[in-house]
Amino acid sequence: MWPSAVAVGVGSVLWYSTYVNSCLLAAIIAAVYVSAGGSLTLWQVYRTFPRDCKALGRFIKLQLFLRRVKRKNLSVPKVFQEVVQQNKGKVAFYFEDQKWTFDEVEEYSNQVANYFAGHGVQHGDSVALLMENRVEYICMWLGLTKLGAVPALVNFNLREDPLVHCIKVASCKLIVCGAELQEALCDIKDREAVADLPVYVSGAGKDSLKCPGAIDLDAGLASAATSSPPQIDNVNFGDDMVFIYTSGTTGLPKAAIIKHSRAFFAAAGMGTMIGLTPSDIVYDPLPLYHTTGGIIGVGQALFLGSPVAIRRKFSATQYWNDCIKYGCTAAQYIGEMCRYLLNIPRKPEDTKHQIRMMFGNGLRPNIWKEFESTFNIPTICEFYGSTEGNANIINIDGKPGAVGFVSVLFPAVYPVALIKVDEETKQVVRDENGLCLRCKPGEAGEFIGKIVKNDPVRDFHGYADKTASSKKVVRDVFAKGDSAFLSGQCSFVQGQKC
C-alpha cells in the first residue's frame, strides 16, 4: 500500500504544480495583453512569450553584472584580474601549438604595462598597435589599458595613405609593430604624421629590426616586472579603452571609441545572451583588430573565463580541423565565411567536431539551413549591430534567417526601433509634430537605438572625429529632446526578426 500511496501523493503534487504553473502563465499572458492595450493578439503573446522571457532573464543577469562593475568602477583589466584568480592554471588562449594560461596572460600583460610606464606612456595616451593575430597582441592592448592608455587597433592589411591616416586620426604617441609588418611601417616612416613616433617591434629580435631607430620590444619586456602596475587603480569604468576602426566602405576608416563599459556590454552581453559558459571553448579565427573577433570573441576569456582558440588568419580548409584540435564547443563566423566553408570539398572532419553553437553576423538566409545540416550545427545565433553603436540585437534561439528580434512583450527593456526613411533622399520621415515614424511589420527602415548618457548599454561614444559622430545621431525621435543612434537600414517581421 505504501508505494501506491506515495505514487498517488506525488502524482497529486505534480498535477497541482502543473495546474498552478498553467494558471500563472495564463495570468501573465493576460496581463501582458492588457498592458499592451490589446494591440497584440493573444497568439502573438503566446508565440513570443517563451523566447522573450528567456531573453529577459539573461538580460537581467547581464544588467546585474554591468551594475556591479559600474558601481565598483571596474575596468576591463581589473575584471580580468578577478577572472585570473578564479581560473589559475586554466588555459585562457590556444594559438597554433601554444597554450597560454590565465596566469601567463596576466603576467605578460603586466610586463607590457610596466615596461611602457617606464618609457613615459600615461593615462589617455594613444598607441598604434599593428600586429597580426597572436596571443601577444591581446596581451599588448590589455597591458596598455592597465595604464589607462588607449591602443588603436590598426588593420594589419592597410598600407600607405590609409595606414598613415589611422595612426594620425587617433593622435598616436608611439607605434607597436609586429616583426612581420615592419616593411609596411618602413614604407611610411618618412611621412610627417609618423616620422617622429617611436617604434617598438615585437617578435623580431635585435638583429632583425628593419626600421631605422626601431626598438627591440622583446628584450625590454624580458626584464620588466610581472607584478600588477599601480596605475591600474586609476583606470575607470567609463574611460576610453581602445580605438577600433570601421571598415572604411564610405571613405577612410573612422576610429570608433570603445570604452571599458562598451567592451563589457559587447562581450559579456554576447556570452550571456546566447548562453555561453566557462566550460565552453570558443573558436575565434577572426581578425583581432575588429570588434567581433577582438572584443566579443576574446572577451569570453577575459570576462567569462571561457578558453578561446585564435588563429593568425582565417582558413576555410582548417576551420573544422582547428575546432577538433582544440575541443571547441562554440565557434565564430563573420561575413561570407560560412559560404566559403560550404564551397570547399566535404571531408570527414566537417561533422566530427563538438560545436554546439555558432555565433556571428553575415550568414545569408538562403544557405542557413544547408549550413546547419551540412556541418551538424545545433544552433546558430546571428546578431546585428555595429562596432560603435548601441542598437544591437541577437537571435538567441537559432531561428533560421533571423538576425535578432525586438520584443513585443517587453519593448521598454531594450529601446530599439525601426523608423521610416525616404527611399530616394535617405532622410528620416517625420510627422506633423516633427517626430519620427515607426515602421510597420515588413517595412524597411533605419534601425535605431535610444541614447541614454552614461549608460553602458544605451550610450553612444562616437568617433575620434566629432563631425563623423554627429552624423550618426538623430534627434527628436519619439519625443522632443530625445536622441538615438542610426545603425543601418533593414526590415523586420514583428516579434521575429530584423
Side-chain angles (χ1 to χ4, degrees):
M1 293 294 293
W2 178 246
S4 298
V6 170
V8 171
V10 171
S12 299
V13 170
L14 291 175
W15 177 87
Y16 180 74
S17 176
T18 302
Y19 173 75
V20 170
N21 289 337
S22 298
C23 291
L24 180 61
L25 176 60
I28 292 173
I29 290 176
V32 171
Y33 176 74
V34 172
S35 67
S39 61
L40 304 177
T41 67
L42 288 175
W43 178 245
Q44 283 178 307
V45 175
Y46 173 76
R47 286 290 304 275
T48 60
F49 187 80
R51 179 205 63 196
D52 286 15
C53 282
K54 178 169 69 173
L56 180 62
R58 291 177 177 178
F59 190 71
I60 290 173
K61 180 181 178 182
L62 171 62
Q63 284 288 352
L64 291 174
F65 168 77
L66 293 174
R67 288 177 184 274
R68 181 183 75 84
V69 293
K70 182 179 181 181
R71 185 180 69 253
K72 293 188 174 183
N73 195 29
L74 298 180
S75 62
V76 164
K78 271 285 191 179
V79 169
F80 180 64
Q81 288 184 335
E82 294 180 349
V83 174
V84 172
Q85 291 303 312
Q86 299 164 4
N87 294 278
K88 284 190 170 293
K90 181 180 177 180
V91 174
F93 294 105
Y94 295 93
F95 174 67
E96 296 177 349
D97 293 325
Q98 303 174 18
K99 296 179 182 178
W100 287 63
T101 66
F102 283 89
D103 312 72
E104 290 171 334
V105 172
E106 171 68 3
E107 290 180 359
Y108 192 90
S109 61
N110 284 342
Q111 288 179 299
V112 171
N114 289 316
Y115 175 80
F116 281 110
H119 285 73
V121 175
Q122 300 178 357
H123 194 290
D125 287 347
S126 297
V127 177
L129 188 55
L130 183 66
M131 297 173 63
E132 291 184 353
N133 286 10
R134 55 180 183 271
V135 181
E136 289 89 344
Y137 179 90
I138 300 166
C139 295
M140 289 294 175
W141 73 250
L142 181 63
L144 287 164
T145 62
K146 293 182 178 185
L147 303 177
V150 186
L153 309 185
V154 180
N155 182 337
F156 58 70
N157 294 299
L158 297 180
R159 299 292 185 271
E160 299 294 341
D161 290 345
L163 180 56
V164 173
H165 165 79
C166 288
I167 296 171
K168 181 180 179 180
V169 74
S171 301
C172 296
K173 301 292 180 64
L174 59 91
I175 301 170
V176 176
C177 176
E180 68 281 4
L181 296 170
Q182 289 185 88
E183 292 183 1
L185 198 58
C186 290
D187 290 342
I188 63 168
K189 200 62 179 72
D190 60 345
R191 302 289 188 92
E192 182 178 353
V194 182
D196 296 330
L197 299 183
V199 175
Y200 297 82
V201 180
S202 170
K206 184 178 179 180
D207 298 328
S208 301
L209 298 175
K210 297 180 180 179
C211 290
I215 300 165
D216 179 8
L217 182 55
D218 296 341
L221 294 179
S223 58
T226 59
S227 57
S228 180
Q231 293 90 336
I232 194 172
D233 293 327
N234 298 320
V235 184
N236 304 304
F237 174 79
D239 285 350
D240 295 348
M241 188 186 83
V242 296
F243 286 115
I244 290 184
Y245 297 84
T246 62
S247 59
T249 52
T250 57
L252 290 171
K254 295 188 290 289
I257 299 168
I258 306 297
K259 293 181 179 289
H260 291 263
S261 57
R262 174 64 61 183
F264 286 133
F265 171 63
M270 178 63 71
T272 302
M273 294 304 295
I274 66 176
L276 288 177
T277 71
S279 62
D280 281 309
I281 300 176
V282 179
Y283 183 53
D284 177 6
L286 311 180
L288 299 184
Y289 53 75
H290 276 167
T291 306
T292 307
I295 302 297
I296 293 177
V298 167
Q300 303 315 311
L302 300 185
F303 308 147
L304 191 64
S306 302
V308 176
I310 63 173
R311 184 179 177 84
R312 192 175 299 273
K313 291 183 180 180
F314 165 72
S315 168
T317 58
Q318 295 302 310
Y319 191 96
W320 303 114
N321 298 65
D322 283 348
C323 289
I324 295 169
K325 175 180 179 179
Y326 302 118
C328 296
T329 55
Q332 288 186 277
Y333 66 88
I334 196 169
E336 294 293 325
M337 192 175 288
C338 293
R339 185 171 62 83
Y340 298 154
L341 291 171
L342 274 175
N343 286 345
I344 62 174
R346 301 279 66 82
K347 57 184 186 298
E349 289 79 9
D350 291 350
T351 55
K352 288 185 177 180
H353 54 76
Q354 302 175 52
I355 298 297
R356 69 179 185 89
M357 175 196 304
M358 290 185 69
F359 60 100
N361 61 330
L363 175 56
R364 294 180 181 273
N366 62 326
I367 66 168
W368 189 302
K369 291 185 178 181
E370 180 187 0
F371 187 87
E372 281 184 326
S373 60
T374 299
F375 300 111
N376 192 26
I377 307 298
T379 305
I380 297 178
C381 296
E382 175 90 0
F383 68 88
Y384 175 87
S386 62
T387 296
E388 68 281 17
N390 68 352
N392 305 290
I393 49 177
I394 310 173
N395 173 4
I396 65 172
D397 52 5
K399 181 179 177 61
V403 300
F405 67 97
V406 178
S407 174
V408 296
L409 305 185
F410 314 111
V413 173
Y414 192 65
V416 295
L418 278 172
I419 59 174
K420 292 187 177 182
V421 176
D422 186 280
E423 293 185 8
E424 294 183 1
T425 66
K426 305 303 181 183
Q427 296 299 308
V428 173
V429 177
R430 296 182 181 271
D431 62 16
E432 64 276 9
N433 298 313
L435 301 179
C436 300
L437 298 173
R438 291 180 183 271
C439 290
K440 295 178 181 179
E443 288 184 334
E446 187 87 10
F447 190 53
I448 62 169
K450 182 180 180 181
I451 295 174
V452 179
K453 290 295 183 183
N454 300 317
D455 184 288
V457 177
R458 303 265 30 100
D459 205 353
F460 167 55
H461 305 127
Y463 309 100
D465 182 345
K466 301 302 180 186
T467 302
S469 300
S470 63
K471 293 179 180 179
K472 297 293 289 184
V473 177
V474 60
R475 304 188 185 280
D476 298 333
V477 185
F478 300 128
K480 292 293 183 181
D482 68 357
S483 60
F485 170 77
L486 294 164
S487 180
Q489 293 192 9
C490 59
S491 62
F492 77 107
V493 176
Q494 183 149 353
Q496 296 299 326
K497 67 179 181 179
C498 173

